[in-house]
Amino acid sequence: MADQDKANITSLKFKDDRNPNGKQIVLLLQGGGALGAYQVGAYKALQEKLTREGCKLDWVAGISIGAINASVIAGHKDPDAVRELENLWREFVSPEFFPYDYNWITRLVPSFLRGRLASLEPKYGAWMWTAFNPWGQGQFFSSRVLNPFQNPWYAQWQRRLRPNELAFYDTGRLHDTLDRHVNWDSINQPDAIRLSLGVTRVSDGEVAYFSNFDSVEQHWPRKVNIAAEHVMASGALPPAFPPIEIDGQLYWDGGVSSNTPIEALKHDLAADCDEDKRDTLVFLIDLWDRKGPIPKSMDDVFWRHKSIQFGSRKKAAESVVMDHERKIQLAIAQAEKAKQHTSELKRNLEVCQVMFERPQDDEHPQFCYSDADFSQQTFDEMRDHGYRDMRRAIGGSRSVECGGNFGKLYRYGTYQKHEKTDEKLGGPSSSRID
């Protein structure tokens, strides 16, 4: 991002209308690899708001890179959680030189950014990633690609592989990195911030959550002492990373089953509305832009496939809000019929869906491994987008509303693409309950 653009971000004046006082504050973080830098900026903006209001975050849940960010937010060793999160990402970011950073070619040959040559950039980037990532990624993972005794394509012909060998990369570095930045003891204290990490069971493909509290979902693991292994299990995306074994069960990345936490956690959200007698304000941070141009190259095909596969389903957040609305309205109707008081039944659930979007008219070929682009340049851009978008969400401007009196959904995108498409398709406004 250009220096002038950064200056513009810091000087922006935002409205500050989204009031968190007296509410349960929940932060839900989607998976998306290097795109998770967007969540760093979004969390910074949210934490600034909570600090100003004298409030605190009550619950953070994440999947994959969202689980990594969530664990640092919940158990940061540095007194400043934002600073701890940024320090973690400094260890993830690639050095700004060959072969780690493919962006050097666009700086060396600016013509690659123009005209027909632009189509070579994502192809070259993809080739660079495939060919040279044997060096690994910072303090995130190391590679097995060049070692014939470790590369699973070759090793599988020599012997039967153990589960932890069934991947191209080893995540031992991530374990050590998490231990440097997360205070596991503080996460597992009785009064700790709630933490939930989404995983997929390899044996049956079902989603589950590891939490430091007892969930109302009976088929999920009971309250566990969260450790680095639980975070790594949430981010064990095959075939890049191996499954993680916990209590005799193998787990993969939660995004393999469902990459958006809100639908899986909706029963806990509703239960907390009743139990705590508080309204709930949820911030759902999405990393994948599911609205995009028709593919014109194989790079575009790969990227659109990923975006659709891992992006939030439009109806997921809507259904959670509408279910809550119907539940409260039904409870009130039953209480009124029985001539009982209804004031204690009126619990509000607000969901702010903050979404990273690419420009509507962006015809630039998309690097199909952008979720693996840990360059400093991309980190800065994604973090700044997240900060800007969350500030807008906090301000309450440019929203698309769905719901009724007790359940509301607001959407905020980087370029507001959702507003045009939702209106065109009859979107959330058509499902409003009056």
Side-chain angles (χ1 to χ4, degrees):
M1 179 170 288
D3 291 340
Q4 183 60 45
D5 291 336
K6 290 183 179 180
N8 290 340
I9 287 177
T10 57
S11 63
L12 282 172
K13 300 298 183 182
F14 294 90
K15 293 197 301 180
D16 203 4
D17 300 335
R18 192 75 63 206
N19 184 7
N21 283 294
K23 300 175 182 177
Q24 175 186 229
I25 309 300
V26 182
L27 179 63
L28 305 180
L29 304 176
Q30 201 178 62
L35 304 178
Y38 181 84
Q39 296 169 348
V40 177
Y43 173 66
K44 179 179 180 180
L46 176 61
Q47 187 57 43
E48 288 175 354
K49 170 67 173 178
L50 296 180
T51 300
R52 286 195 301 271
E53 299 291 339
C55 301
K56 66 180 182 67
L57 185 65
D58 296 283
W59 183 9
V60 58
I63 295 171
S64 196
I65 196 68
I68 294 174
N69 288 337
S71 67
V72 175
I73 292 170
H76 50 95
K77 290 184 176 180
D78 191 299
D80 185 340
V82 174
R83 184 166 56 206
E84 187 78 81
L85 195 57
E86 290 179 339
N87 287 339
L88 171 89
W89 275 81
R90 287 193 184 96
E91 298 191 35
F92 286 169
V93 167
S94 301
E96 293 187 86
F97 54 78
F98 176 88
Y100 297 96
D101 182 6
Y102 76 86
N103 285 307
W104 68 274
I105 191 171
T106 61
R107 294 191 290 268
L108 183 65
V109 188
S111 61
F112 267 59
L113 296 176
R114 300 191 299 270
R116 294 184 179 181
L117 288 178
S119 64
L120 296 179
E121 183 188 358
K123 293 179 175 61
Y124 189 83
W127 177 77
M128 284 286 292
W129 171 257
T130 303
F132 287 99
N133 198 251
W135 307 114
Q137 184 60 51
Q139 296 304 310
F140 198 154
F141 57 85
S142 56
S143 178
R144 299 167 173 170
V145 174
L146 292 182
N147 188 331
F149 298 100
Q150 292 184 330
N151 187 318
W153 283 120
Y154 301 114
Q156 66 184 348
W157 297 103
Q158 303 169 25
R159 66 185 187 282
R160 183 174 181 176
L161 301 183
R162 298 185 298 274
N164 64 356
E165 296 177 303
L166 296 172
F168 294 108
Y169 306 108
D170 182 276
T171 51
R173 293 179 184 177
L174 177 59
H175 190 291
D176 296 338
T177 302
L178 289 169
D179 282 345
R180 285 195 297 275
H181 293 280
V182 181
N183 184 337
W184 305 110
D185 289 337
S186 68
I187 285 178
N188 296 303
Q189 293 295 320
D191 59 347
I193 180 175
R194 284 187 166 189
L195 175 63
S196 299
L197 309 172
V199 295
T200 300
R201 285 195 299 267
V202 177
S203 60
D204 59 10
E206 292 295 327
V207 66
Y209 275 81
F210 290 116
S211 300
N212 62 351
F213 63 94
D214 282 323
S215 168
V216 298
E217 293 285 0
Q218 295 301 313
H219 65 285
W220 287 356
R222 295 298 85 202
K223 174 182 177 182
V224 298
N225 285 326
I226 300 293
E229 288 76 14
H230 299 93
V231 181
M232 293 169 65
S234 182
L237 183 65
F241 303 143
I244 301 298
E245 182 176 350
I246 299 175
D247 296 332
Q249 186 75 255
L250 291 176
Y251 295 96
W252 268 333
D253 190 304
V256 173
S257 291
S258 175
N259 197 38
T260 303
I262 190 167
E263 196 163 29
L265 298 177
K266 64 181 180 181
H267 297 304
D268 279 305
L269 289 173
D272 291 332
C273 287
D274 296 336
E275 178 185 340
D276 297 339
K277 304 301 181 185
R278 289 190 293 167
D279 295 336
T280 296
L281 176 58
V282 179
F283 292 94
L284 172 61
I285 314 300
D286 288 355
L287 302 178
W288 297 90
D289 187 356
R290 297 188 74 234
K291 297 178 174 68
I294 300 300
K296 297 179 180 179
S297 69
M298 290 308 297
D299 298 286
D300 293 344
V301 169
F302 286 126
W303 183 250
R304 288 301 301 141
H305 175 232
K306 279 186 178 181
S307 298
I308 293 170
Q309 178 182 6
F310 295 119
S312 287
R313 300 299 181 268
K314 178 184 173 184
K315 297 297 183 183
E318 288 183 26
S319 66
V320 172
V321 167
M322 301 301 285
D323 286 348
H324 177 79
E325 178 71 26
R326 294 187 183 96
K327 173 188 173 183
I328 298 300
Q329 288 192 2
L330 178 61
I332 291 175
Q334 292 175 338
E336 289 177 342
K337 186 176 181 179
K339 297 182 179 181
Q340 297 174 344
H341 294 292
T342 62
S343 58
E344 292 188 356
L345 300 174
K346 297 178 180 180
R347 296 287 171 259
N348 295 320
L349 173 62
E350 294 178 272
V351 177
C352 292
Q353 190 172 10
V354 184
M355 306 174 292
F356 171 66
E357 295 178 329
R358 299 185 182 279
Q360 181 72 39
D361 57 352
D362 184 9
E363 296 294 331
H364 190 277
Q366 180 57 50
F367 174 34
C368 65
Y369 287 98
S370 287
D371 53 325
D373 176 12
F374 285 88
S375 66
Q376 183 67 55
Q377 175 184 337
T378 299
F379 170 77
D380 291 340
E381 290 178 352
M382 293 297 294
R383 178 196 56 197
D384 291 344
H385 277 310
Y387 184 80
R388 183 197 294 262
D389 292 349
M390 179 60 89
R391 289 292 301 270
R392 285 180 174 146
I394 290 170
S397 60
R398 301 184 69 86
S399 63
V400 176
E401 185 173 345
C402 161
N405 295 322
F406 307 107
K408 299 181 187 298
L409 170 66
Y410 308 94
R411 287 194 173 103
Y412 303 87
T414 308
Y415 296 99
Q416 293 84 45
K417 289 196 301 186
H418 62 285
E419 293 189 0
K420 295 180 181 179
T421 55
D422 284 344
E423 290 172 3
K424 181 178 180 181
L425 297 173
S429 59
S430 67
S431 56
R432 181 177 174 82
I433 294 180
D434 295 317

